[in-house]
Amino acid sequence: MSSPALQRRLGLRDAVFLGLGSMIGAGVFSAFAPASAAAGSGLLAALAIAAIVAFGNATSTAQLAAVHPTSGGVYAYGRAELGPWWGYAAGWGFVIGKTASCAAMALTAAAYLAPAGWERPVAAVVVVALVTVNLFGITRTALVTRVLVVVVLAVLTVAVISIGAGAASSGDAVGFDEFFEGGVYGTLQAAGLLFFAFAGYARIATLGEEVRDPQRTIPRAIVLAFAGALVTYAVVAVAVLAALGPDGLAASAAPLADAVAQVGATWAVPLVQVGAAAASLGALLALIAGIGRTAFAMAREGDMPRALAAVHPRWHVPHRAELALGAVVVALVLIVDLRGAIGFSSFGVLLYYAVANLAAWRQRGEARRYPRVLQAIGLVGCVVLGFTLPWQAVVAGVGVVAVGLALRAVRVR
């Protein structure tokens, strides 16, 4: 009996928007403040380091995706190139870490959308609504993501122009002279946290069975989405640092809103809040799609319950995997506050890309698209950034990976 398969319905534009939707919400509205707390004005150096490591990982992922156009992303690539244990470690780290990210994004969206005291119920409703969107097919997911990304980019443009104009007219913009103010360790720790903001291009790879002409489309979409996110992050980071300064940014729960208020553009604060909610919703929507496909791929190989490997006969989505994910995330947002899960999620994603770099390193002949030095940069960067994350994130990440490996060992035996 053949394994269930999904349908190829996404073009290059859809794939790029899904990648951008995954990254921009996670980066601009979630990762800058904790990264600034670690690195101060070294945030810009940390962003550059995170971007270099992320570029190495992006090229590895693109190279692998061209040869293995299937669902599951690095889970599938690791199995094919390195063996089932490597693939499982990548898939487990991705599913567990990104499930926590789903809860964090839902709570972030609810913080902007809900009246005080109603954040958890609204977060649960948001999860149910976006799981429902995903259940109606990947083209619906891509359409909604495209709308949300356009809204977010428009809001960010208005906010950056407002900050620049306000700072120029008042002449009181905060300076930031120390490029490595946080020291080497602080800058590397911030880079590890900011890596969370670049991880969204993994969502493109996890949709490998639903992209038309995947050997050509996926590598191009990964590079384009990465480049778009990098430019956006750099512009916004300079703007908020100039408006708030490193200490103000580190202490801010809503950096962009505080930045426009700081320069006197208070009229733009409600607009920024709408953009933050849209960005969080876009990231959550793409996360649900990506985790669902990875869980589907793992279930198809027996690394998760095989019941999750079902494909809906009409909508052609892994509906059981997405429904199970939705149930877990709803439970999390109602019980636990996971807005501080960035470090834990970053550890899982760095493990995921370390496996990707190892797998891409082994490829030879016509499969190779990029020089091995990029895979070396990606792999070394993943290891270094992983172990300079806050120690709580490292301990939690190692513990969760160990539990996952033990569960597979029991199942195999």
Side-chain angles (χ1 to χ4, degrees), residues 325-406:
L325 171 65
V328 171
V329 176
V330 166
L332 287 175
V333 299
L334 291 175
I335 298 169
V336 185
D337 189 345
L338 286 176
R339 276 171 286 197
I342 292 176
F344 170 68
S345 179
S346 291
F347 185 89
V349 174
L350 285 163
L351 169 64
Y352 182 83
Y353 284 114
V355 174
N357 287 305
L358 282 171
W361 179 275
R362 286 178 60 100
Q363 290 183 300
R364 291 175 172 81
E366 293 184 358
R368 298 209 59 80
R369 287 173 172 244
Y370 303 99
R372 278 197 170 90
V373 66
L374 289 174
Q375 283 117 52
I377 290 171
L379 177 60
V380 172
C382 285
V383 173
V384 172
L385 296 186
F387 286 99
T388 53
L389 288 169
W391 68 266
Q392 300 93 331
V394 176
V395 171
V398 170
V400 167
V401 171
V403 168
L405 294 176

Side-chain angles (χ1 to χ4, degrees), residues 193-291:
L193 294 169
L194 287 169
F195 185 84
F196 168 85
F198 284 106
Y201 52 74
R203 239 64 77 235
I204 302 170
T206 60
L207 301 171
E209 282 183 40
E210 294 163 279
V211 175
R212 296 190 297 269
D213 190 12
Q215 288 86 352
R216 183 168 177 266
T217 300
I218 294 178
R220 291 175 65 196
I222 287 173
V223 173
L224 288 171
F226 169 81
L230 175 59
V231 171
T232 302
Y233 291 160
V235 171
V236 174
V238 170
V240 294
L241 269 176
L244 299 176
D247 294 337
L249 175 56
S252 176
L256 207 61
D258 290 345
V260 295
Q262 178 70 25
V263 298
T266 53
W267 60 269
V269 172
L271 191 64
V272 169
Q273 291 174 328
V274 170
S280 302
L281 293 173
L284 178 57
L285 186 64
L287 276 168
I288 292 169
I291 300 168

Side-chain angles (χ1 to χ4, degrees), residues 58-386:
T59 55
S60 292
T61 306
Q63 179 174 293
L64 289 160
V67 178
H68 306 286
T70 186
S71 289
V74 178
Y75 166 73
Y77 311 154
R79 283 184 63 91
E81 299 287 346
L82 301 171
W85 281 99
W86 289 96
Y88 178 84
W92 177 260
F94 179 83
V95 169
I96 298 301
K98 288 304 182 180
T99 298
S101 294
C102 281
M105 288 295 102
L107 288 166
T108 301
Y112 289 99
L113 296 172
W118 286 84
E119 291 86 357
R120 291 184 186 276
V122 169
V125 171
V126 163
V127 173
V128 172
L130 295 188
V131 168
T132 302
V133 170
N134 271 292
L135 289 176
F136 281 103
I138 191 63
T139 53
R140 271 72 169 187
T141 301
L143 175 61
V144 175
T145 301
R146 194 183 312 158
V147 172
L148 292 171
V149 169
V150 170
V151 170
V152 173
L153 290 177
V155 169
L156 290 176
T157 301
V158 172
V160 169
I161 291 173
S162 301
I163 293 169
S169 62
S170 64
D172 60 355
V174 178
F176 42 97
D177 302 322
E178 295 294 332
F179 201 61
F180 283 97
E181 183 186 54
V184 174
Y185 181 79
T187 301
L188 289 174
Q189 186 176 100
L193 294 169
L194 287 169
F195 185 84
F196 168 85
F198 284 106
Y201 52 74
R203 239 64 77 235
I204 302 170
T206 60
L207 301 171
E209 282 183 40
E210 294 163 279
V211 175
R212 296 190 297 269
D213 190 12
Q215 288 86 352
R216 183 168 177 266
T217 300
I218 294 178
R220 291 175 65 196
I222 287 173
V223 173
L224 288 171
F226 169 81
L230 175 59
V231 171
T232 302
Y233 291 160
V235 171
V236 174
V238 170
V240 294
L241 269 176
L244 299 176
D247 294 337
L249 175 56
S252 176
L256 207 61
D258 290 345
V260 295
Q262 178 70 25
V263 298
T266 53
W267 60 269
V269 172
L271 191 64
V272 169
Q273 291 174 328
V274 170
S280 302
L281 293 173
L284 178 57
L285 186 64
L287 276 168
I288 292 169
I291 300 168
R293 271 66 180 177
T294 302
F296 163 77
M298 295 180 74
R300 199 160 53 178
E301 299 293 342
D303 283 332
M304 281 193 173
R306 289 191 181 274
L308 300 181
V311 175
H312 194 279
R314 179 178 179 184
W315 303 115
H316 304 286
V317 296
H319 58 295
R320 291 182 184 172
E322 290 185 347
L323 287 170
L325 171 65
V328 171
V329 176
V330 166
L332 287 175
V333 299
L334 291 175
I335 298 169
V336 185
D337 189 345
L338 286 176
R339 276 171 286 197
I342 292 176
F344 170 68
S345 179
S346 291
F347 185 89
V349 174
L350 285 163
L351 169 64
Y352 182 83
Y353 284 114
V355 174
N357 287 305
L358 282 171
W361 179 275
R362 286 178 60 100
Q363 290 183 300
R364 291 175 172 81
E366 293 184 358
R368 298 209 59 80
R369 287 173 172 244
Y370 303 99
R372 278 197 170 90
V373 66
L374 289 174
Q375 283 117 52
I377 290 171
L379 177 60
V380 172
C382 285
V383 173
V384 172
L385 296 186

